Amino acid sequence: MGLWYDETFHDHTRLGLLSKETLFSAQSPYQKIEVIDTVGFGRVLIIDNVFMTSEYDEFLYHEMLTHPALTTAPSIERVLVIGGGDGGTVREVLRHPDVKECVMIEIDEMVVEASKQHLPGIGTAWDDPRLDVRFIDAIDYVKKSTDASYDVILLDGTDPVGPGAVLFDESFYADCKRMLNPDGVMALQSESPLLMMDMFVDIQHKLRALFSEVHPYLGPVPLYGAGTWSWTWCSNTGEPLRPIPERQASIVEGSKAYNEDLHQAVFALPNYVKRALKL
Ligand code: SPD
């Protein structure tokens, strides 16, 4: 009989996974990192007791963070990923043949090492020559980076609590915007509108203060407690519902979730979200 591993939300709700085995457990200079093998979700990466990704449902998260942005940005030659140490997001980015360079900024090398060793099915693109992984602080990186140097920026951080909270500051978003080409697209994970409505709304307001086009979209990620998760598409030009057909078709073929219909559907918001955002 295994042990139950629980993530607790707001001290009143728990999601529990039955664990067969702990494969990795260590304290890095930044956070506690664990990989467990579970009965229902396969191998799961956990940071500071928060479920980050699982073999079972990671495609739902990584495909939806990546492809709405990469199918709509006019150019996708240079892509920046901030966070995403499990390798799932860069894997999806590098499925696009038009991407010439993907820079990934991850502060914690131990997350990448643990993921390479224990989650090889998620990070399948580590050896792609277009990938440049740098173990540095994203805050420093965006402050020092030159203007308009990326076509697409993807933010794949943890929740806005603890050390990762700075990646949700308006000043951080402003630096990202400055690094983005004028017609570039940024997409980010923006928390659960069900379980973390305040955070979700706060993120939208910060982004709206910077970008003229801010479009949240929703999808299921069962690992993240309330099930419904959000991402947000931002740009100063263009709009999210006009993917480039050839680029999109080349990605749909090998995707487990992402397709043409889903791209349109995920941007349809339920009333409780529209009302919270006064849309
Ligand atoms: N509540 C957990 C949110 C985690 C979002 N990022 C996950 C990283 C997967 N690459």
Side-chain angles (χ1 to χ4, degrees), residues 10 17 57 84 96 107 118 122 137 150 167 202 219 222 225:
H10 309 308
L17 299 179
D57 70 351
H96 287 266
I107 196 169
H118 298 291
I122 294 179
D137 186 340
Y150 288 99
L167 301 185
D202 184 55

Side-chain angles (χ1 to χ4, degrees), residues 87-102:
T89 298
V90 296
R91 175 199 73 214
E92 291 302 316
V93 168
L94 292 164
R95 289 179 55 214
H96 287 266
D98 292 341
V99 172
K100 294 210 169 112
E101 183 182 10
C102 177

Side-chain angles (χ1 to χ4, degrees), residues 7 50-53 61-62 84 86 89 156-159 189 191 224 229:
E7 178 181 342
V50 176
F51 296 134
M52 284 294 132
T53 197
Y61 175 88
H62 293 120
D86 50 74
T89 298
D156 184 12
T158 56
D159 296 318
Q189 75 91 354
E191 300 293 304
Y224 299 160
W229 202 250

